[in-house]
Amino acid sequence: MPISKRATETLAIQSPMMEAFLESISKLYEPELNPTGALNLGVAHNDLLQQKVFEKAQECLLITPEDINYGAAEGSPRLRQIWRDFFTRHFNPIYPLQWHDIFTQTGAGASINQLFMVICDPGDYCLVPTPYYGAFDYDVGVNTGVKIFPMHLHRPDLNTMTVDPDLLETHYQRAQSEGKKITSMIVTNPENPLGRCYSVADIKEFLRFGSRHQIHMVFDEIYALSTYSQLLDNEEKKKEDPFVSVLSLPYKDFIDPALVHVVYGLSKDFAINGFRVGFIIDQFNKPLKSALYRSA
Ligand SMILES: Cc1ncc(COP(=O)(O)O)c(C=O)c1O
């Protein structure tokens, strides 16, 4: 047995986007493989800001002697307090956020993977509205044994993100009839690749749905601050739903709050994807927190 069954299953996961991405990265960084150069159009790198962000990062980065030693893998209390303040300011959590609700990871992708390691079992399925960010197949599936059940929720005749609850239910029932056990769902808000935000009504609909079926609801809010409706004039603005974090809604009124998880990361809003920083925010699930402490 050269590798485990788990790893063999992982190798079978298909993600054309990730495969193309990894290939392009290797070409970009190994010029002998690609003497003509390559322009990667498949990933959200903020190259226009690169020099500015680099200068700012250099200015801010300060390494202290303690950083050489082991630290808390989930992030130091100081780091998590800083991020608690950030999330409190920008996500308006309705239930006060504590620093120990926040777990640091090596990127949002790794946060999702870590989360699925502790919320789902091998063989479970995760509902994901389509079209979806192509690396979710890896993030959700690598080493977890969890598979994605894609579902199209948006009506093609409407240029909105409005979620039809009946359609949501139909997809769930279809999965059931195919013998697929749904235990989770990912909601990307703001959406990637659709580039829009879900309305408060839609988020509540998702929470009700999650509650009805007792499934974990993972909100990927990595693009939280990358919305521009505030820059539009009033007429256009009316058409756009602003970003609203699930943390700002009274989600306890809709669902067992232990089923609600939020993921964030610095790759997009902060344009520093090479730094590999992500967060899991979990307010009400004690066993999950204990499991995250052990696996961080
Ligand atoms: C919706 C979404 N979630 C997660 C990620 C992964 O982010 P990270 O670079 O922090 O792993 C991305 C990256 O493009 C994304 O678009």
Side-chain angles (χ1 to χ4, degrees):
M1 272 301 157
I3 53 173
S4 65
K5 273 193 214 145
R6 195 180 52 233
T8 309
E9 279 167 21
T10 281
L11 290 181
I13 300 171
Q14 307 264 312
S15 174
M17 184 215 120
M18 276 309 279
E19 282 148 31
F21 171 67
L22 295 174
E23 192 188 331
S24 73
I25 289 280
S26 75
K27 285 191 173 154
L28 286 170
Y29 292 106
E30 291 174 59
E32 65 281 7
L33 290 179
N34 184 39
T36 52
L39 183 59
N40 188 350
L41 297 176
V43 70
H45 268 178
N46 202 332
D47 287 335
L48 293 176
L49 274 183
Q50 195 185 52
Q51 189 57 28
K52 274 195 172 167
V53 174
F54 170 66
E55 283 161 19
K56 189 73 191 166
Q58 270 198 323
E59 218 178 283
C60 300
L61 284 179
L62 176 69
I63 296 182
T64 62
E66 302 80 63
D67 293 324
I68 306 300
N69 296 343
Y70 283 127
E74 65 280 358
S76 67
R78 184 170 161 263
L79 179 83
R80 293 155 87 199
Q81 280 156 11
I82 290 169
W83 286 99
R84 176 210 48 209
D85 295 346
F86 170 87
F87 292 121
T88 300
R89 190 158 65 246
H90 295 289
F91 287 44
N92 303 315
I94 192 158
Y95 312 116
L97 196 59
Q98 314 291 329
W99 63 268
H100 44 81
D101 296 335
I102 300 165
F103 293 79
T104 316
Q105 261 293 345
T106 51
S111 304
I112 293 170
N113 189 250
Q114 199 60 57
L115 204 46
F116 277 84
M117 284 299 241
V118 292
I119 60 176
C120 293
D121 291 313
D124 287 358
Y125 278 79
C126 169
L127 292 168
V128 182
T130 58
Y132 64 84
Y133 161 58
F136 278 158
D137 293 281
Y138 279 8
D139 297 342
V140 169
V142 165
N143 292 334
T144 63
V146 180
K147 293 200 178 77
I148 284 183
F149 189 86
M151 55 172 182
H152 200 68
L153 287 185
H154 311 294
R155 295 215 351 235
D157 54 323
L158 296 177
N159 186 24
T160 74
M161 294 283 288
T162 310
V163 172
D164 178 347
D166 293 337
L167 204 49
L168 200 50
E169 202 53 44
T170 306
H171 286 296
Y172 182 85
Q173 297 308 336
R174 183 166 57 87
Q176 294 287 97
S177 67
E178 290 173 15
K180 293 173 175 157
K181 187 177 171 205
I182 304 287
T183 55
S184 60
M185 174 172 174
I186 297 185
V187 176
T188 305
N189 184 37
E191 243 296 338
N192 175 19
L194 296 179
R196 292 195 167 215
C197 299
Y198 285 104
S199 66
V200 170
D202 284 341
I203 301 171
K204 288 181 178 172
E205 206 54 71
F206 285 134
L207 292 173
R208 280 191 205 98
F209 171 77
S211 177
R212 204 156 51 244
H213 300 294
Q214 286 297 295
I215 62 175
H216 289 275
M217 299 298 293
V218 177
F219 289 83
D220 179 341
E221 300 188 348
I222 192 170
Y223 289 97
L225 307 186
S226 297
T227 60
Y228 302 99
S229 57
Q230 71 278 14
L231 303 177
L232 300 172
D233 70 30
N234 281 345
E235 258 324 288
E236 279 180 281
K237 200 171 170 175
K238 276 188 218 146
K239 291 184 221 150
E240 302 280 335
D241 284 307
F243 166 69
V244 174
S245 170
V246 67
L247 296 174
S248 70
L249 302 178
Y251 59 92
K252 277 191 199 176
D253 294 352
F254 294 88
I255 187 170
D256 171 358
L259 293 172
V260 175
H261 321 284
V262 174
V263 168
Y264 184 69
L266 305 192
S267 291
K268 310 299 161 184
D269 294 341
F270 288 81
I272 45 173
N273 40 51
F275 278 40
R276 312 307 306 131
V277 183
F279 303 99
I280 299 171
I281 306 172
D282 241 283
Q283 294 188 281
F284 298 101
N285 191 328
K286 275 201 181 145
L288 180 137
K289 285 182 175 188
S290 308
L292 286 178
Y293 272 115
R294 294 195 178 188
S295 55

